[in-house]
Amino acid sequence: MPTCRNARIAGCSRQSSNMAATGDAEETQLQEMEEEAMMENEMESEEEEGLGIENSDDEIDDSSEDEKENELSINAFDYNCHVDLIKLLRQEGELPRLRKARQKMSELFPLTEEIWLDWLKDEIHLTEDQQNREKVYELFETAVKDYICPEIWLEYAEYSIGGMGLPGGMEKVRSIFERALTAVGLHMTKGATVWEAYREFENAILATLERIHTLFRRQLSIPLMDMDGTYAEYEEWSDQGVSDTVSQKYKRALQQMDKSKPYEETLMIAEPPKLAEYQTYIDYEQKEGDPARIQIIFERALAENCLVPDMWAKYTKYLDRQLKIKDLVLSSHDRAVRNCPWTMGLWKNYLLALERHGADHHTISDVFEKALNAGFIQATDYVNIWEAYLDYLRRRVDFSKESSRELEELRAAFTRSLDYMKQDVEERFSESGDPSCTIMQVWAKIEALHCKNMQKARELWDSIMTKGNAKFANMWLEYYNLERSYGDSLHCRKALHRAVQCTSDYPEHVCEVLLTFERVEGSLEDWDAAVQKTETRLNRVNEQRAKVTEKEAHVARQEEEKTEQRLRAKADKKNQKKGQKGSRPGEKRKTEDKDYEDEWGEESGKERGQQVAPATVWKTQEDDPELRKDDCSVFISNLAFAMEDPEKRLKKLFEPCGPVQSVRPVYAAKGFRGYCYLQFEGKASVLEALKMDRQEVEGRPMFVSPCVDKNKNPDFKVFKYNTNLEKHKIFISGLPFSCTKEQLEELCKDHGTIKDIRLVTNRSGKPKGLAYVEFGDEAQASLAVLKLDGTVLQEHTLSVAISNPPRRNTADKPGFSRPVGAMMPRSMVYGSRGKGRTQLSLLPRSLHRQTGSESKAENGTAPKPTGGASGDAGIEAQAKPLSNSDFAKMLFKK
């Protein structure tokens, strides 16, 4: 196809150049020849398009043009309906309606390459005079702005050649070719066709050799696919050969092309939409740092991924921060919002770009109105776009003047935004999208700070509190800070008293703020009133919390009882089925010992045998005090199983802590088990080694703990699980997995003195998205909760609360003892087949009752002794074993 296109360009160029050279007598004849050539081209294009149109007929709905137009009148943003209507009108040949339908679609969406080429060819066929030719030129100018498309630029250049005989025609053709080279000349796979067409044009009009030489040199200095063929063509064409300068530039371009070739080949074999491949290519070009090449690869990616908002956001961000060329930046933002109108972030960036490049107020307002009609998918999107527009209006106001048109316009916009959120947004999404009333908060702050109008600010805050925000401490503190900065002490005191009365999430913190305020500024009467109010409020809060806790405990007990009932019913049903089956005649029941041996004997013996060697070595070292010294040793765990030569590696790792006497890694049949014992020559080295706890080794956190004999110290724990409320520590969830301690410290340092930060990870060292941050005191932690809860970090919304770890299960607590039967497998208590029908319990009922009461003791504590005995006597009696005579007395007891 490029060869045919270039041949047609060359033919048209020769005819047009001859027309310019001949007199008036021959001009008419040349015009007729040119018209015949154009008619042949039209017939060829119609033949080429014929099959395509016939194939597309099957995909069009049976709906008529009128039905499609009615659908578009209801929803003008139905892209597919626009395409179907255009196909129907093109089939019917209704050119006026077809032109109107295309114009409407072009106003709403960027058109694809195929739609533009069809439209351009249809309009070219109707071109008869200079006036219509100018309209086609305008249409081409619109087409080349939608996407960077080499085919449209070639069609544009070819059409301009037809008007070369008109005044200024030659300069116009060359201007279009130069613009095409600027736009798509760097396209590595398709840019060469534009260069070849330009050279063919210059050759056809018998231009000076220097022009063609220049085009060859420019093309050979750019990395393009198959550029070795171009170099060979230049060698053959040039009588003087290729200069050294051109050869050097060609070699540099060839090296650049070789670097980019793998990325191009990956794009060729990849399946659409090739988003990942393009992103890799973009990253490479950004590292290389050539702005023109970065732009062309972004444009290529967007041509195939025009509905990906993230790609448009990255492209416009690059243009905003790097190139900063007004026309390029604004046109790219405009194309972005036309392709992805549902993405609020693109509209917001467009408004900022317009303001940054000095666009007039009318233009920015029009873009904002289009954004409101774009159909965002979330209520919060409308809040954000309103905030962006209000920020722009606020920057226009000169607050040094008491009143101005811009200030009135800002206030009107604030009022309109609140009405819009209440009427349009709430009606559509059943929520305002702004529960914290951020728009009203900003308005109140502007009135207080810039306009010195505290009365209006207080009215706005009264409205904020009536919208369900009066129960939140952070809202009252925001209002208090506003009064503190721009109001007076009287209103500060009123705000804090109302806050104490209404706050339900953090009443202690609000009470503390009130007392601090009165301590600094209040009189004795004010202090007494504040103390009385805070005590009354906190007593009421504690009563409410106690009721809630009691209710939750009651619900939990009910759930436990229901669970026990279900388990009991299930067990009874199972025992009943077993009792109905009975035993088959002639079969012997296997003994428990045989079952135990079959289940645990052979395989367990093998497993134990595999660990005999390290266990034996450890026992030998344990018996010999010279070989094992616990106070000089540490236990190292959570190491990678694939660690090569653990003994050598760990000895080298811990040598900075002190002289290492021995390293005893534990092995299994399959290799290293991931833990070992390391013994130093002195006790002081142990303290240094413990500082290396959780240090990353081969991608995993290494656990280092003291080496303690659990037989001698059964209650020893390296890390004791805290179950109490830690008021000086906050718990953060929802963190991105890539978050580091440094980033978390940067986020929290403004709210108090940070004593420690702990990121929670699993045993493999991968983060869980959780963290604990310890502050200097409770007030700082409470303030951090108020300020950080709900904040966004790397597109993750954080949840922040005071650290209150869940309580451990009773069975995990020290001192808890289970009944013997509960600790043994079911097969060991009742046999391999469970409790049989004849296996009656011979235990006295009085003992059963004692066991029942003992099992009801919560949190591992024994029940209080009953009877007249004292506490110690009761415990002694309970601990004393029963003799045979005692059992006899209970059996014969009436």
Side-chain angles (χ1 to χ4, degrees):
M1 289 301 296
T3 305
C4 298
R5 183 186 294 275
N6 293 342
R8 294 212 309 263
I9 288 174
C12 293
S13 302
R14 293 191 185 95
Q15 289 180 359
S16 298
S17 59
N18 292 336
M19 182 190 303
T22 55
D24 297 336
E26 298 177 355
E27 183 173 353
T28 305
Q29 184 179 0
L30 289 174
Q31 286 180 346
E32 293 175 357
M33 292 173 61
E34 183 177 354
E35 290 175 0
E36 291 176 2
M38 291 180 63
M39 290 177 63
E40 291 176 0
N41 293 339
E42 292 171 9
M43 294 174 62
E44 290 176 3
S45 62
E46 289 174 358
E47 290 174 359
E48 291 174 357
E49 294 169 7
L51 292 175
I53 294 175
E54 290 174 4
N55 291 336
S56 63
D57 292 348
D58 300 333
E59 302 174 0
I60 303 176
D61 296 339
D62 295 333
S63 306
S64 65
E65 297 92 331
D66 295 335
E67 292 176 354
K68 292 294 181 184
E69 289 178 346
N70 290 333
E71 292 179 15
L72 290 176
S73 64
I74 299 172
N75 181 14
F77 289 92
D78 190 340
Y79 185 90
N80 293 327
C81 189
H82 280 284
V83 174
D84 291 342
L85 176 61
I86 289 172
K87 289 180 179 179
L88 286 170
L89 294 174
R90 193 161 188 256
Q91 280 183 353
E92 299 297 330
E94 300 184 23
L95 297 180
R97 292 178 64 188
L98 176 61
R99 183 183 288 119
K100 186 177 180 181
R102 284 168 168 165
Q103 289 174 348
K104 284 186 176 180
M105 185 177 182
S106 177
E107 292 173 359
L108 297 175
F109 304 100
L111 304 185
T112 62
E113 175 186 336
E114 293 76 16
I115 295 177
W116 269 121
L117 289 175
D118 289 342
W119 188 0
L120 291 167
K121 290 176 182 178
D122 290 343
E123 295 294 341
I124 289 173
H125 297 165
L126 301 176
T127 302
E128 295 180 356
D129 51 19
Q130 178 64 21
Q131 184 177 0
N132 288 334
R133 177 173 285 275
E134 290 299 326
K135 292 182 179 179
V136 175
Y137 281 139
E138 293 176 2
L139 195 61
F140 267 114
E141 289 295 332
T142 305
V144 296
K145 291 178 181 178
D146 276 355
Y147 300 108
I148 287 189
C149 177
E151 286 76 9
I152 293 179
W153 276 108
L154 285 172
E155 194 72 29
Y156 192 8
E158 181 180 346
Y159 178 72
S160 65
I161 292 173
M164 190 174 60
L166 300 174
M170 185 77 70
E171 289 76 11
K172 190 174 187 65
V173 174
R174 284 177 174 155
S175 173
I176 292 173
F177 266 119
E178 289 294 338
R179 289 174 57 200
L181 292 179
T182 303
V184 297
L186 295 179
H187 197 299
M188 190 163 285
T189 56
K190 298 181 179 180
T193 58
V194 181
W195 288 98
E196 292 171 3
Y198 197 1
R199 289 203 315 271
E200 289 293 336
F201 165 73
E202 294 290 355
N203 193 31
I205 63 173
L206 302 178
T208 60
L209 296 179
E210 185 58 30
R211 280 186 176 274
I212 301 175
H213 271 294
T214 302
L215 287 174
F216 266 119
R217 292 167 187 161
R218 290 169 61 189
Q219 181 179 355
L220 290 174
S221 63
I222 297 174
L224 299 171
M225 298 295 284
D226 301 327
M227 60 185 307
D228 50 352
T230 305
Y231 185 80
E233 182 182 352
Y234 184 40
E235 282 185 320
E236 182 180 355
W237 181 84
S238 177
D239 296 335
Q240 302 175 355
V242 182
S243 65
D244 294 338
T245 304
V246 176
S247 297
Q248 291 176 0
K249 290 182 179 180
Y250 165 72
K251 290 178 181 179
R252 284 198 295 268
L254 193 61
Q255 291 175 355
Q256 179 65 34
M257 191 269 293
D258 291 337
K259 293 180 182 179
S260 304
K261 194 171 183 180
Y263 299 99
E264 294 290 346
E265 292 174 348
T266 303
L267 287 176
M268 290 179 184
I269 62 176
E271 295 291 332
K274 311 176 185 179
L275 189 60
E277 290 78 9
Y278 271 119
Q279 186 58 58
T280 305
Y281 202 170
I282 290 170
D283 294 340
Y284 161 74
E285 291 292 358
Q286 286 185 323
K287 289 180 181 178
E288 292 294 315
D290 187 346
R293 297 203 59 78
I294 296 172
Q295 182 189 353
I296 192 66
I297 192 59
F298 262 121
E299 291 288 354
R300 289 174 60 185
L302 290 169
E304 296 190 42
N305 299 276
C306 59
L307 300 180
V308 180
D310 288 344
M311 185 63 72
W312 282 107
K314 291 176 182 177
Y315 182 39
T316 53
K317 181 179 179 181
Y318 170 77
L319 296 177
D320 286 333
R321 296 186 177 181
Q322 300 298 328
L323 295 187
K324 301 180 181 179
I325 302 173
K326 178 180 178 179
D327 294 338
L328 178 60
V329 169
L330 296 183
S331 64
S332 299
H333 278 288
D334 181 66
R335 290 190 294 142
V337 297
R338 290 176 64 206
N339 277 280
C340 306
W342 63 88
T343 308
M344 182 279 305
L346 297 178
W347 287 101
K348 183 177 179 180
N349 292 335
Y350 191 12
L351 292 174
L352 291 172
L354 288 169
E355 183 182 2
R356 196 176 294 120
H357 290 280
D360 59 87
H361 176 61
H362 180 71
T363 301
I364 297 177
S365 299
D366 286 346
V367 171
F368 170 70
E369 294 298 334
K370 290 180 181 178
L372 288 182
N373 297 321
F376 297 142
I377 58 178
Q378 294 179 351
T380 53
D381 290 341
Y382 287 95
V383 178
N384 292 331
I385 198 65
W386 267 110
E387 287 178 342
Y389 184 59
L390 292 170
D391 291 345
Y392 155 72
L393 293 179
R394 195 268 307 164
R395 288 189 286 266
R396 295 179 65 239
V397 179
D398 182 5
F399 290 102
S400 61
K401 301 177 181 179
E402 293 185 1
S403 63
S404 62
R405 183 173 58 84
E406 289 80 7
L407 178 58
E408 295 304 320
E409 187 175 356
L410 174 62
R411 285 172 172 161
F414 270 114
T415 304
R416 182 192 169 197
S417 68
L418 299 180
D419 294 338
Y420 186 90
M421 302 305 297
K422 183 177 180 180
Q423 298 174 3
D424 298 62
V425 177
E426 286 189 11
E427 181 179 349
R428 179 179 174 186
F429 297 97
S430 301
E431 60 169 328
S432 66
D434 189 15
S436 299
C437 301
T438 54
I439 293 178
M440 295 180 70
Q441 289 188 46
V442 173
W443 189 4
K445 191 167 291 187
I446 290 174
E447 292 289 351
L449 173 63
H450 297 293
C451 303
K452 313 301 179 186
N453 188 356
M454 279 302 299
Q455 182 63 32
K456 180 63 177 179
R458 293 182 184 116
E459 292 175 2
L460 290 169
W461 268 104
D462 286 341
S463 179
I464 291 172
M465 293 305 180
T466 58
K467 295 182 181 296
N469 293 299
K471 59 184 178 180
F472 299 118
N474 64 325
M475 301 299 290
W476 283 109
L477 293 180
E478 285 288 338
Y479 177 38
Y480 164 72
N481 290 330
L482 185 72
E483 288 286 358
R484 190 77 169 157
S485 300
Y486 312 109
D488 50 45
S489 298
L490 177 62
H491 287 90
C492 287
R493 183 174 290 108
K494 286 183 179 179
L496 290 177
H497 276 271
R498 291 175 62 192
V500 170
Q501 187 67 30
C502 301
T503 300
S504 60
D505 54 351
Y506 295 102
E508 294 88 353
H509 185 69
V510 174
C511 291
E512 183 179 354
V513 174
L514 174 58
L515 293 176
T516 303
F517 172 78
E518 297 296 0
R519 184 177 290 114
V520 175
E521 297 192 13
S523 63
L524 179 59
E525 291 78 8
D526 295 331
W527 170 260
D528 291 339
V531 170
Q532 182 179 358
K533 192 174 189 67
T534 54
E535 288 179 352
T536 304
R537 176 59 178 164
L538 291 179
N539 289 335
R540 189 182 303 117
V541 168
N542 291 330
E543 291 175 1
Q544 293 173 352
R545 288 176 178 173
K547 290 181 181 179
V548 171
T549 303
E550 184 179 354
K551 184 177 180 181
E552 291 177 350
H554 179 66
V555 173
R557 285 195 297 270
Q558 288 182 339
E559 291 294 330
E560 290 178 0
E561 291 175 0
K562 290 180 182 178
T563 303
E564 290 179 1
Q565 290 176 1
R566 286 196 298 266
L567 293 175
R568 194 179 301 114
K570 188 176 180 181
D572 293 343
K573 188 176 181 181
K574 189 174 183 180
N575 292 334
Q576 187 179 2
K577 287 184 179 179
K578 286 187 176 181
Q580 292 175 356
K581 288 183 179 178
S583 58
R584 297 182 181 178
E587 283 190 0
K588 293 183 179 180
R589 181 175 298 176
K590 296 182 180 180
T591 63
E592 295 177 4
D593 294 338
K594 182 65 177 175
D595 289 340
Y596 183 81
E597 185 178 351
D598 291 342
E599 186 175 357
W600 302 98
E602 189 173 345
E603 281 190 353
S604 296
K606 289 181 181 179
E607 292 177 1
R608 290 193 295 272
Q610 292 170 359
Q611 301 175 13
V612 166
T616 305
V617 172
W618 178 245
K619 188 173 182 180
T620 304
Q621 295 169 349
E622 191 177 70
D623 294 339
D624 190 348
E626 295 296 330
L627 293 177
R628 173 176 177 180
K629 295 180 181 178
D630 288 347
D631 55 353
C632 296
S633 303
V634 292
F635 177 65
I636 306 169
S637 60
N638 201 43
L639 299 171
F641 290 168
M643 178 182 287
E644 296 182 1
D645 197 355
E647 184 174 355
K648 182 178 179 182
R649 176 72 187 279
L650 294 173
K651 185 174 183 180
K652 183 179 179 181
L653 185 63
F654 282 88
E655 276 181 349
C657 301
V660 177
Q661 182 175 334
S662 65
V663 179
R664 301 187 293 275
V666 180
Y667 289 92
K670 296 182 179 180
F672 181 47
R673 296 192 63 183
Y675 60 91
C676 70
Y677 300 88
L678 188 143
Q679 184 170 319
F680 293 98
E681 294 182 0
K683 299 179 182 179
S685 303
V686 174
L687 298 177
E688 295 298 324
L690 292 176
K691 295 178 181 178
M692 299 178 65
D693 183 37
R694 299 187 182 272
Q695 178 176 323
E696 187 172 330
V697 177
E698 295 188 3
R700 296 170 63 89
M702 173 181 65
F703 299 158
V704 184
S705 58
C707 188
V708 178
D709 190 348
K710 290 295 185 71
N711 295 326
K712 299 178 182 179
N713 300 282
D715 296 332
F716 175 79
K717 289 187 179 296
V718 178
F719 176 73
K720 293 185 178 180
Y721 191 92
N722 195 348
T723 60
N724 299 323
L725 182 66
E726 301 171 297
K727 295 184 178 180
H728 64 289
K729 188 183 295 185
I730 65 173
F731 173 69
I732 305 176
S733 60
L735 288 168
F737 291 159
S738 60
C739 182
T740 62
K741 279 189 177 181
E742 291 74 16
Q743 292 175 332
L744 203 55
E745 183 177 4
E746 185 68 24
L747 181 67
C748 301
K749 69 179 183 180
D750 294 335
H751 310 298
T753 304
I754 298 176
K755 298 179 64 177
D756 184 42
I757 295 177
R758 181 168 69 88
L759 292 173
V760 182
T761 62
N762 56 22
R763 293 186 66 86
S764 63
K766 296 181 179 179
K768 291 185 176 182
L770 310 174
Y772 290 91
V773 181
E774 183 178 355
F775 284 90
D777 53 37
E778 299 175 11
Q780 294 177 357
S782 300
L783 180 62
V785 171
L786 293 173
K787 295 295 184 181
L788 296 179
D789 187 35
T791 59
V792 178
L793 178 63
Q794 298 178 11
E795 300 181 359
H796 285 70
T797 302
L798 306 184
S799 297
V800 185
I802 295 296
S803 176
N804 188 14
R807 295 187 176 274
R808 301 179 68 181
N809 293 330
T810 306
D812 297 334
K813 294 183 178 180
F816 175 79
S817 60
R818 292 182 179 174
V820 177
M823 298 174 63
M824 298 173 61
R826 188 170 180 270
S827 61
M828 296 179 68
V829 178
Y830 299 121
S832 60
R833 299 183 61 183
K835 184 175 180 180
R837 296 173 64 185
T838 60
Q839 290 176 321
L840 302 178
S841 174
L842 300 179
L843 201 64
R845 293 181 180 177
S846 59
L847 292 184
H848 273 301
R849 285 196 295 274
Q850 289 180 7
T851 305
S853 62
E854 191 174 340
S855 64
K856 291 180 182 178
E858 296 181 356
N859 299 329
T861 58
K864 295 182 179 180
T866 58
S870 64
D872 295 338
I875 295 173
E876 229 175 75
Q878 188 178 357
K880 182 179 179 181
L882 298 175
S883 64
N884 290 336
S885 61
D886 294 331
F887 275 103
K889 290 178 182 179
M890 285 186 289
L891 286 172
F892 294 105
K893 185 178 180 181
K894 292 182 180 180

Coordinates of all heavy atoms in Angstrom, one line a residue, residues 409-442:
E409 N -18.9 36.3 43.1 CA -19.0 35.1 42.3 C -18.5 33.8 43.1 O -19.1 32.7 42.9 CB -18.1 35.2 41.0 CG -18.3 34.1 40.0 CD -17.5 34.4 38.8 OE1 -16.9 35.5 38.6 OE2 -17.5 33.5 37.9
L410 N -17.5 34.0 43.9 CA -17.1 32.9 44.8 C -18.1 32.4 45.7 O -18.4 31.2 45.9 CB -15.8 33.3 45.5 CG -15.2 32.3 46.6 CD1 -14.8 31.0 45.9 CD2 -14.1 32.9 47.3
R411 N -18.8 33.4 46.4 CA -19.8 33.0 47.4 C -21.0 32.4 46.6 O -21.6 31.4 47.2 CB -20.3 34.3 48.1 CG -19.3 34.8 49.2 CD -19.6 36.1 49.7 NE -18.8 36.4 50.9 CZ -18.6 37.6 51.4 NH1 -19.3 38.7 50.8 NH2 -17.9 37.9 52.4
A412 N -21.3 32.9 45.5 CA -22.4 32.3 44.7 C -22.1 30.9 44.3 O -23.0 30.0 44.3 CB -22.7 33.2 43.5
A413 N -20.8 30.6 44.0 CA -20.4 29.3 43.6 C -20.5 28.3 44.8 O -20.9 27.2 44.7 CB -19.0 29.3 43.0
F414 N -20.1 28.8 46.0 CA -20.2 28.0 47.2 C -21.7 27.6 47.4 O -22.0 26.5 47.7 CB -19.7 28.7 48.4 CG -18.2 28.5 48.6 CD1 -17.3 29.5 48.5 CD2 -17.8 27.2 49.0 CE1 -15.9 29.2 48.7 CE2 -16.4 26.9 49.2 CZ -15.5 28.0 49.1
T415 N -22.6 28.6 47.3 CA -24.0 28.4 47.5 C -24.5 27.4 46.5 O -25.3 26.4 46.8 CB -24.8 29.7 47.4 OG1 -24.3 30.6 48.4 CG2 -26.3 29.4 47.7
R416 N -24.1 27.6 45.2 CA -24.6 26.6 44.2 C -24.1 25.2 44.4 O -24.8 24.2 44.2 CB -24.1 27.2 42.8 CG -24.6 26.3 41.7 CD -23.9 26.6 40.4 NE -24.1 25.7 39.3 CZ -23.4 25.5 38.2 NH1 -22.4 26.3 38.0 NH2 -23.7 24.6 37.4
S417 N -22.8 25.1 44.9 CA -22.2 23.8 45.1 C -23.0 23.0 46.2 O -23.3 21.8 46.0 CB -20.8 23.9 45.5 OG -20.6 24.5 46.8
L418 N -23.4 23.7 47.2 CA -24.2 23.1 48.3 C -25.6 22.6 47.8 O -26.0 21.5 48.1 CB -24.3 24.0 49.5 CG -23.0 24.4 50.2 CD1 -23.3 25.3 51.3 CD2 -22.2 23.2 50.6
D419 N -26.2 23.5 47.0 CA -27.5 23.1 46.4 C -27.3 21.9 45.4 O -28.2 21.0 45.4 CB -28.1 24.3 45.7 CG -28.5 25.4 46.6 OD1 -28.6 25.2 47.8 OD2 -28.6 26.6 46.2
Y420 N -26.3 22.0 44.7 CA -26.0 20.9 43.7 C -25.8 19.5 44.4 O -26.4 18.5 44.0 CB -24.8 21.2 42.8 CG -24.5 20.3 41.7 CD1 -25.1 20.5 40.4 CD2 -23.8 19.1 41.9 CE1 -24.9 19.6 39.4 CE2 -23.5 18.3 40.8 CZ -24.1 18.5 39.6 OH -23.9 17.6 38.6
M421 N -25.0 19.6 45.5 CA -24.8 18.3 46.2 C -26.1 17.8 46.9 O -26.3 16.6 46.9 CB -23.7 18.5 47.3 CG -22.4 19.0 46.8 SD -21.7 18.0 45.5 CE -21.4 16.5 46.4
K422 N -26.9 18.7 47.3 CA -28.1 18.3 48.0 C -29.2 17.8 47.1 O -29.9 16.8 47.3 CB -28.7 19.5 48.8 CG -29.9 19.2 49.6 CD -30.4 20.4 50.4 CE -31.6 20.0 51.3 NZ -32.1 21.2 52.1
Q423 N -29.3 18.4 45.9 CA -30.3 18.1 45.0 C -29.9 17.0 44.0 O -30.4 15.9 44.0 CB -30.8 19.3 44.2 CG -31.4 20.4 45.2 CD -31.8 21.7 44.4 OE1 -31.6 21.8 43.2 NE2 -32.2 22.7 45.2
D424 N -28.9 17.4 43.1 CA -28.5 16.5 42.0 C -27.8 15.2 42.5 O -28.2 14.1 42.2 CB -27.6 17.2 41.0 CG -28.4 18.4 40.4 OD1 -28.8 19.3 41.1 OD2 -28.5 18.4 39.2
V425 N -26.8 15.4 43.4 CA -25.9 14.3 43.8 C -26.7 13.3 44.7 O -26.7 12.1 44.5 CB -24.6 14.8 44.4 CG1 -23.8 13.6 44.9 CG2 -23.8 15.6 43.4
E426 N -27.4 13.9 45.7 CA -28.1 13.0 46.6 C -29.3 12.3 45.9 O -29.6 11.1 46.3 CB -28.7 13.9 47.8 CG -27.6 14.3 48.8 CD -28.2 14.9 50.0 OE1 -29.5 14.8 50.2 OE2 -27.5 15.5 50.8
E427 N -29.9 12.9 45.0 CA -31.0 12.3 44.3 C -30.4 11.1 43.4 O -31.1 10.1 43.3 CB -31.6 13.3 43.4 CG -32.8 12.7 42.6 CD -33.5 13.8 41.7 OE1 -33.2 15.0 41.9 OE2 -34.3 13.4 40.9
R428 N -29.2 11.2 42.9 CA -28.7 10.2 42.0 C -28.0 9.1 42.8 O -28.2 7.9 42.5 CB -27.7 10.8 41.1 CG -27.0 9.8 40.2 CD -26.0 10.5 39.2 NE -25.3 9.5 38.4 CZ -24.3 9.8 37.6 NH1 -23.9 11.1 37.4 NH2 -23.7 8.9 36.9
F429 N -27.3 9.4 43.9 CA -26.5 8.4 44.6 C -27.0 8.1 46.0 O -26.5 7.2 46.7 CB -25.0 8.9 44.8 CG -24.3 9.1 43.5 CD1 -24.2 10.3 42.9 CD2 -23.7 8.0 42.8 CE1 -23.5 10.5 41.7 CE2 -23.0 8.2 41.6 CZ -22.9 9.4 41.1
S430 N -28.1 8.7 46.4 CA -28.7 8.6 47.7 C -27.7 8.9 48.8 O -27.8 8.5 50.0 CB -29.1 7.1 47.9 OG -30.1 6.8 47.0
E431 N -26.7 9.7 48.5 CA -25.7 10.3 49.5 C -25.2 11.6 48.9 O -25.1 11.8 47.7 CB -24.6 9.3 49.8 CG -23.8 8.9 48.6 CD -22.6 8.1 48.9 OE1 -22.0 8.4 50.0 OE2 -22.1 7.3 48.1
S432 N -24.7 12.4 49.8 CA -24.2 13.7 49.4 C -22.7 13.6 48.9 O -22.3 14.4 48.1 CB -24.2 14.7 50.5 OG -23.3 14.3 51.6
G433 N -22.0 12.5 49.3 CA -20.6 12.4 49.0 C -19.7 13.2 49.8 O -18.5 13.2 49.7
D434 N -20.3 14.1 50.7 CA -19.5 15.0 51.5 C -20.0 15.0 52.9 O -20.5 15.9 53.4 CB -19.6 16.4 50.9 CG -18.6 17.3 51.6 OD1 -17.7 16.8 52.3 OD2 -18.7 18.6 51.5
P435 N -19.9 13.8 53.6 CA -20.5 13.7 55.0 C -19.8 14.6 56.0 O -20.4 15.1 56.9 CB -20.3 12.2 55.3 CG -19.1 11.8 54.5 CD -19.3 12.5 53.2
S436 N -18.5 14.9 55.7 CA -17.8 15.8 56.7 C -18.0 17.3 56.3 O -17.4 18.1 57.0 CB -16.3 15.4 56.7 OG -16.1 14.1 57.1
C437 N -18.7 17.5 55.2 CA -19.0 18.9 54.8 C -17.7 19.7 54.6 O -17.5 20.8 55.1 CB -19.8 19.6 55.9 SG -21.4 18.8 56.2
T438 N -16.8 19.1 53.8 CA -15.5 19.8 53.6 C -15.7 21.1 52.8 O -14.9 22.1 53.1 CB -14.6 18.8 52.8 OG1 -15.2 18.4 51.6 CG2 -14.2 17.6 53.6
I439 N -16.6 21.1 51.9 CA -16.9 22.4 51.2 C -17.3 23.5 52.1 O -16.8 24.6 52.0 CB -17.9 22.1 50.1 CG1 -17.3 21.2 49.0 CG2 -18.3 23.4 49.4 CD1 -18.3 20.8 47.9
M440 N -18.2 23.2 53.0 CA -18.6 24.2 54.0 C -17.5 24.6 54.9 O -17.4 25.8 55.3 CB -19.8 23.7 54.7 CG -21.1 23.5 53.9 SD -22.5 22.9 54.8 CE -22.9 24.3 55.8
Q441 N -16.7 23.7 55.3 CA -15.5 24.0 56.2 C -14.6 25.0 55.5 O -14.1 25.9 56.1 CB -14.8 22.7 56.6 CG -15.5 21.8 57.5 CD -14.7 20.7 58.0 OE1 -13.5 20.9 58.4 NE2 -15.2 19.5 58.0
V442 N -14.3 24.7 54.2 CA -13.4 25.6 53.5 C -14.1 27.0 53.3 O -13.4 28.0 53.5 CB -13.1 25.0 52.1 CG1 -12.4 26.0 51.2 CG2 -12.3 23.7 52.2

